[in-house]
Amino acid sequence: MKVGVYTRFWETAGGGEVYAGTLAEVLAGDHDVELVCETEIDVHRLESRLGLRLAHLPRREIGDVDDAAFAAATETYDLFMNCSHGSQRPNGARFGVYVVHFPDFGPAPEIPAYARVLGRLLRHGGRIEWGRGFHHEESDGVRSWRWTGGCATFKVHVPAGRRVILGLDLSKEARPPGTEADVVVEVDGDGRWTIPAAEARGSLVMPMSGGGQPVTVTITTPTFSPRTTFGVDDPRELGVQLERLFLHRAGLAGVVTRRLPAAATEPKAHEFLGSYHAVVSNSPFTSKWIKRRWRRASTLIEPPVRLRSAGPKSHLILTVGRFFARGSGHSKHQLEMVRAFGALSQQVPGWELHIVGGCSDVDRPYLDLVREEVGGLPVSLHVNAPVDELDDLYERAAIYWHAAGLHEDVDQHPERMEHFGISVVEAMSAGVVPVVVAAGGPADIVRPGLDGLHFHTEAELVSQTIRLVREEELRSRMSASSRDRASEFGRDRFEAKVRALVADACRP
């Protein structure tokens, strides 16, 4: 078969790309596989970062096209596998598989009877695709919003030949005095609108015409830091609050849409799923939320994990995860772990905490905050550490901490949990005993009392760790069980599940 494996984010070379790249490598043994991308990728860099053999595979650059052109481009494949997080791209191949790292949009809304009648006249057929520069959605129970950074972008997909209106509602009420500034909105560099700083709130309405290519919209504003301004543990750089972003048709239909927004509800976010023959989840946690949000069954295929070697253990606690602040995604909560370790070291001295993680330039303020909290504690930060350094730490560590999801309401914000937990499994494969938040993917991986322990608060993290430190026999037993448990997530099982999925999906 001719197979296309797609993600928008090949150049990110993160966990999602490990999944996509391994899929491609596995299927290339039996099929003709192409790496599908929107822009050119440096495949040799990708190979180095992912540890996979991909350079020999052909690559197909389809460009930043609209949904119709995207579906047409995928028609050339017998099997198309969409591994791109948050994608709403339709499948045009004979068979389609949609890999879900987490379902990041909610259930199809209930549409009133009047809206169903008016819908055919009012719906515009376009959609909005979030880009870079936005923080995660927040809510106070009455309204919701997304903070921008200094420069935030999104794309508007408009069907060819269709004319629609884009509306933005911005609020600057949350900006502290002295930080007011103009907000500039640009459309593909052609149109430019400014909301003056003197206006507490601002709304813009911009006409757009579909020409077959997505239209990029950029919101630019100076930023402020809540940490510097208010003295709180939030080092994010914030711009302006985006309260509402919507599309509607021009003319009288637009007037009706503004007064009766349910009438113009676009079911597109869910309709694209119908073009795929199978949905794949990366964890039981993700599978549950796919069923809850999308009312779709999914096939569970956990990510392929590189299993590590165990070595003689030291009095070393390890945690691995990218540095970024709470409010910027499923934060790893390094700051809270350093504080917990400070309390731990007073009761069981002689132990060290080692924190490994990548850090981008935009997240440096959070890393600086963690460094300040370390002070004189026996804590080492390994920022952007090479693979051999991480291997050594896995071999020597005795206990592994993972705090993603701490202080979060899993029912309100499941996206802030760890969806699977590759680093948890890597640590377990090296015999490192995990202590993880009792929610999300890691809670499914770590069987409490067998492979490791769960916690809900920093105080419980400390108490559970003290138990492992003082009960060496318990720690030794859990270390052996952790290695056995981790073997269930190795590459061999991933390959077997992928081949079974493809054989089933493509059965005549």
Side-chain angles (χ1 to χ4, degrees):
M1 288 193 306
K2 186 175 181 181
V3 180
V5 179
Y6 164 75
T7 173
R8 283 181 57 206
F9 307 109
W10 285 115
E11 289 295 334
T12 302
E17 290 63 60
V18 170
Y19 200 114
T22 309
L23 267 177
E25 193 176 64
V26 169
L27 294 176
D30 303 307
H31 306 283
D32 296 326
V33 175
E34 286 186 343
L35 304 182
V36 183
C37 49
E38 292 189 359
T39 58
E40 184 179 0
I41 58 176
D42 183 344
V43 71
H44 296 290
R45 172 183 172 273
L46 191 64
E47 275 196 333
S48 175
R49 290 283 300 275
L50 302 185
L52 299 171
R53 293 184 64 253
L54 301 173
H56 67 290
L57 297 179
R59 296 176 294 283
R60 183 181 180 191
E61 184 180 333
I62 60 176
D64 188 7
V65 296
D66 65 13
D67 288 345
F70 187 92
T74 62
E75 287 179 356
T76 60
Y77 299 107
D78 299 302
L79 172 63
F80 177 68
M81 306 195 79
N82 185 343
C83 303
S84 192
H85 177 63
S87 173
Q88 295 179 26
R89 292 296 206 173
N91 164 59
R94 188 158 58 99
F95 299 99
V97 174
Y98 186 62
V99 177
V100 182
H101 302 292
F102 193 77
D104 64 345
F105 54 86
E110 294 294 332
I111 303 177
Y114 76 83
R116 289 195 294 270
V117 174
L118 292 174
R120 292 183 180 179
L121 297 174
L122 300 180
R123 289 177 190 154
H124 43 74
R127 68 177 175 88
I128 294 169
E129 177 184 354
W130 294 102
R132 299 183 183 276
F134 289 98
H135 296 284
H136 281 256
E137 186 177 74
E138 300 176 58
S139 174
D140 59 8
V142 178
R143 65 185 185 94
S144 60
W145 64 88
R146 285 177 183 257
W147 278 104
T148 71
C151 180
T153 64
F154 60 90
K155 293 181 179 180
V156 181
H157 296 257
V158 182
R162 180 68 58 82
R163 182 175 174 82
V164 302
I165 303 297
L166 169 68
L168 300 91
D169 290 342
L170 303 173
S171 170
K172 294 181 283 182
E173 294 175 347
R175 293 180 63 91
T179 63
E180 298 90 346
D182 293 348
V183 177
V184 178
V185 181
E186 296 180 272
V187 179
D188 266 351
D190 295 331
R192 180 184 177 95
W193 289 262
T194 299
I195 300 177
E199 297 182 12
R201 305 178 64 85
S203 295
L204 289 176
V205 173
M206 294 168 280
M208 292 188 174
S209 298
Q213 295 286 338
V215 178
T216 300
V217 181
T218 304
I219 303 174
T220 306
T221 182
T223 61
F224 72 97
S225 168
R227 179 192 177 196
T228 302
T229 306
F230 302 117
V232 298
D233 289 343
D234 184 353
R236 293 180 298 168
E237 292 296 321
L238 304 180
V240 66
Q241 287 182 350
L242 175 61
E243 290 189 335
R244 190 179 177 213
L245 186 60
F246 56 94
L247 294 173
H248 62 75
R249 295 181 66 174
L252 180 60
V255 176
V256 176
T257 298
R258 292 300 297 267
R259 294 184 176 275
L260 301 172
T265 298
E266 290 291 329
K268 192 176 185 63
H270 298 269
E271 286 180 344
F272 87 96
L273 282 172
S275 67
Y276 290 89
H277 302 80
V279 173
V280 170
S281 59
N282 65 349
S283 72
F285 179 73
T286 297
S287 181
K288 180 184 77 173
W289 280 94
I290 291 173
K291 186 71 173 178
R292 186 168 169 177
R293 285 187 165 179
W294 297 351
R295 295 183 280 278
R296 282 285 298 260
S298 60
T299 301
L300 175 61
I301 303 181
E302 295 94 340
V305 179
R306 179 190 170 199
L307 303 181
R308 309 287 175 139
S309 300
K313 299 304 182 184
S314 305
H315 287 181
L316 190 156
I317 299 171
L318 176 65
T319 185
V320 180
R322 189 163 69 86
F323 289 92
F324 54 98
R326 185 179 181 186
S328 300
H330 50 295
S331 169
K332 310 304 180 182
H333 292 284
Q334 290 94 340
L335 188 63
E336 287 81 0
M337 285 190 282
V338 171
R339 290 169 179 165
F341 182 77
L344 175 75
S345 61
Q346 295 177 18
Q347 302 181 61
V348 285
W351 283 72
E352 301 175 0
L353 174 64
H354 289 253
I355 303 176
V356 181
C359 186
S360 63
D361 289 341
V362 72
D363 293 312
R364 287 285 169 179
Y366 179 71
L367 175 61
D368 292 340
L369 198 61
V370 175
R371 280 201 176 102
E372 290 177 15
E373 193 68 33
V374 167
L377 292 171
V379 176
S380 298
L381 303 181
H382 306 260
V383 182
N384 299 321
V387 173
D388 57 351
E389 185 176 335
L390 179 58
D391 287 343
D392 175 67
L393 289 168
Y394 275 133
E395 286 187 11
R396 295 191 293 117
I399 297 172
Y400 186 83
W401 281 1
H402 197 81
L406 183 63
H407 301 314
E408 301 291 356
D409 185 327
V410 66
D411 289 320
Q412 292 295 319
H413 295 290
E415 71 281 355
R416 297 180 186 175
M417 305 294 124
E418 189 69 64
H419 307 144
F420 175 68
I422 289 177
S423 66
V424 176
V425 178
E426 288 179 335
M428 293 169 70
S429 72
V432 190
V433 180
V435 185
V436 303
V437 168
D444 292 324
I445 294 169
V446 178
R447 299 168 297 185
L450 292 177
D451 318 307
L453 299 171
H454 292 181
F455 71 94
H456 300 84
T457 64
E458 290 99 321
E460 196 172 2
L461 171 60
V462 172
S463 65
Q464 295 284 52
T465 304
I466 289 176
R467 180 185 173 193
L468 289 175
V469 167
R470 291 176 175 168
E471 299 180 32
E472 292 189 18
E473 189 279 331
L474 174 66
R475 194 168 78 237
S476 176
R477 175 166 53 82
M478 287 186 171
S479 175
S481 181
S482 287
R483 297 195 69 189
D484 290 340
R485 176 65 167 156
S487 67
E488 299 178 22
F489 304 98
R491 172 155 172 159
D492 288 347
R493 296 203 179 193
F494 177 82
E495 290 189 13
K497 289 184 176 183
V498 168
R499 290 195 171 98
L501 170 75
V502 172
D504 184 63
C506 299
R507 184 177 293 120

